[in-house]
Amino acid sequence: MTALATAATALNKNGYLDLEVDPSLDLVAEIQRLKKEKNAVILAHYYQESEIQDVADYIGDSLGLSQQAAKTEADIIVFAGVHFMAETAKILSPHKKVLLPDLKAGCSLADSCPAPLFRKFKEKYPDHVVVSYINCTAELKTLTDICCTSTNAVHVINSIPEDQKIIFAPDINLGRYLVKKTGRDMVLWNGSCMVHEIFSAEKIAKLRARYPKALFIAHPECETHILDQADFIGSTTGLLKFTIASEATEFIVATEAGILHQMEKSSPHKTFIPAPPENNCACNECPHMKRNTMEKLYLCMQYELPEIELPQRIIEEGRLCIDRMLDVSAKAGLVG
Ligand code: 13P
Ligand code: SF4
């Protein structure tokens, strides 16, 4: 058996092609070559490691990445992000090959809402429509009326008639933020993101005392007591745009630390301080996002594996809620 055949056989267990990469290889040049040769596009989320962001064709938040996946003319979409994002790209471009460097790049938020449990929960509220944060499985999307991302969530909720009851899943923190922001009383699923739940309000307060001119900015997946302290709340793209437009020069940032790379690149004269977690861990880095590496990205492009495959039923039923979300975003002129 060749090394490739062995690695391909082990894909199910490892989630990625476990092949040795020559350490002297110029991975950036190789990845650029493969992009051209295969007419492939690399879509990367802001939480990817800096080197991956730098080699990507497009870097964005969940809305921007979906918009790009829907309109790309490339033959292959290489998704440098997590599984639910690559699934969304496959649903939007079912005839294209969608690759994910590591199939085990999951998401604690998506995992916190298993579709069979949610189906039972939904049965208790037959007169409610379901709004799901895009950070959920493709199967959950088939049980959803309209999706949202953190960029368009307020617009999506406001697009629903006022007398229509709503279930919001899976992120309880974003749900609570939206209840406050829109005044709508929604039934919330109790899910959360492991990265956005670790920030320490006490340590942030201390940091603010040390940097009195710094603005504190936060992602709406953070808990309410953290958001209550924030000068600005927004999606990753929203936070990035805010730091570019703001006259402030110091920012304490409560979201995954990967976003700091683009913030520093866009505003090299400004200072960005990652908000501190409860303990001294590096848990403001998403372990799922960080499963992707340059080596895995290169191998996945070279051998066109691992590939995202979805049953036709999931593609057809999962697409409706994403299309509705993209419509609301287009009407509101939102880009991620
Ligand atoms: P956005 O980039 O859409 O703000 O989402 C954040 C996130 O947690 C993605 O996994
Ligand atoms: Fe999921 Fe949170 Fe990681 Fe985003 S940061 S992929 S929501 S676990």
Side-chain angles (χ1 to χ4, degrees):
M1 221 183 201
T2 62
L4 172 62
T6 315
T9 312
L11 243 187
N12 278 346
K13 185 163 74 62
N14 298 329
Y16 60 94
L17 277 180
D18 193 5
L19 284 165
E20 210 146 302
V21 176
D22 176 355
S24 67
L25 214 58
D26 179 347
L27 288 179
V28 174
E30 285 299 307
I31 289 169
Q32 299 292 12
R33 174 183 65 78
L34 288 167
K35 272 203 282 194
K36 271 206 199 107
E37 251 177 53
K38 299 184 182 234
N39 188 27
V41 67
I42 301 180
L43 306 182
H45 190 269
Y46 291 119
Y47 297 163
Q48 291 295 286
E49 62 175 48
S50 324
E51 273 184 292
I52 294 183
Q53 292 189 35
D54 290 344
V55 84
D57 298 286
Y58 176 85
I59 315 155
D61 68 0
S62 308
L63 175 62
L65 293 165
S66 311
Q67 289 168 327
Q68 293 295 323
K71 72 176 186 196
T72 182
E73 283 177 6
D75 294 318
I76 300 179
I77 298 173
V78 187
F79 216 104
V82 290
H83 197 269
F84 77 82
M85 295 178 171
E87 278 185 337
T88 305
K90 184 68 187 175
I91 291 173
L92 286 166
S93 285
H95 304 301
K96 295 192 192 285
K97 190 175 262 192
V98 177
L99 304 173
L100 181 67
D102 188 329
L103 287 178
K104 290 196 178 166
C107 169
S108 68
L109 188 45
D111 290 348
S112 68
C113 194
L117 287 188
F118 184 76
R119 190 188 295 274
K120 289 214 175 77
F121 178 79
K122 185 181 157 169
E123 278 166 11
K124 289 196 280 182
Y125 305 97
D127 55 349
H128 286 53
V129 297
V130 176
V131 180
S132 293
Y133 192 33
I134 202 160
N135 299 34
C136 64
T137 60
E139 181 82 47
L140 201 86
K141 289 183 175 78
T142 68
L143 303 172
T144 296
D145 295 294
I146 183 163
C147 259
C148 72
T149 73
S150 42
T151 289
N152 58 28
V154 170
H155 290 82
V156 166
I157 301 295
N158 287 338
S159 74
I160 298 168
E162 268 179 40
D163 56 351
Q164 173 61 59
K165 294 177 189 162
I166 300 172
I167 299 174
F168 185 82
D171 190 352
I172 195 162
N173 295 316
L174 177 62
R176 285 180 178 139
Y177 169 74
L178 290 170
V179 167
K180 217 167 160 181
K181 193 93 184 151
T182 63
R184 301 289 286 267
D185 183 22
M186 302 188 285
V187 174
L188 305 180
W189 178 266
N190 188 9
S192 61
C193 158
M194 63 192 284
V195 179
H196 288 88
E197 277 204 324
I198 48 82
F199 297 109
S200 159
E202 208 184 314
K203 288 188 185 172
I204 291 166
K206 281 189 188 152
L207 205 55
R208 297 195 79 173
R210 250 185 44 220
Y211 295 90
K213 288 192 197 140
L215 294 182
F216 173 55
I217 60 175
H219 193 281
E221 286 175 32
C222 294
E223 293 171 294
T224 308
H225 67 285
I226 300 292
L227 295 180
D228 284 346
Q229 289 194 39
D231 297 303
F232 179 76
I233 298 168
S235 67
T236 49
T237 298
L239 296 175
L240 175 62
K241 285 183 181 162
F242 179 80
T243 61
I244 295 169
S246 171
E247 281 178 10
T249 56
E250 291 175 344
F251 301 88
I252 299 167
V253 185
T255 190
E256 212 270 0
I259 186 70
L260 268 67
H261 180 56
Q262 291 305 319
M263 289 178 172
E264 282 161 355
K265 265 179 110 170
S266 309
S267 307
H269 57 291
K270 298 187 181 181
T271 305
F272 301 97
I273 308 154
E278 274 306 340
N279 47 38
N280 295 326
C281 58
C283 22
N284 57 351
E285 292 202 354
C286 174
H288 308 292
M289 286 277 181
K290 284 349 190 230
R291 281 186 73 96
N292 295 326
T293 61
M294 285 291 277
E295 285 78 10
K296 287 181 190 171
L297 179 60
Y298 161 72
L299 287 170
C300 135
M301 292 180 74
Q302 168 86 344
Y303 297 106
E304 300 182 19
L305 283 171
E307 183 182 352
I308 298 288
E309 279 167 304
L310 288 172
Q312 193 56 26
R313 174 189 74 81
I314 301 266
I315 291 180
E316 281 165 17
E317 293 177 20
R319 175 144 192 162
L320 300 170
C321 65
I322 306 171
D323 279 344
R324 288 185 192 119
M325 172 194 84
L326 291 175
D327 273 358
V328 169
S329 307
K331 281 189 189 120
L334 298 171
V335 269

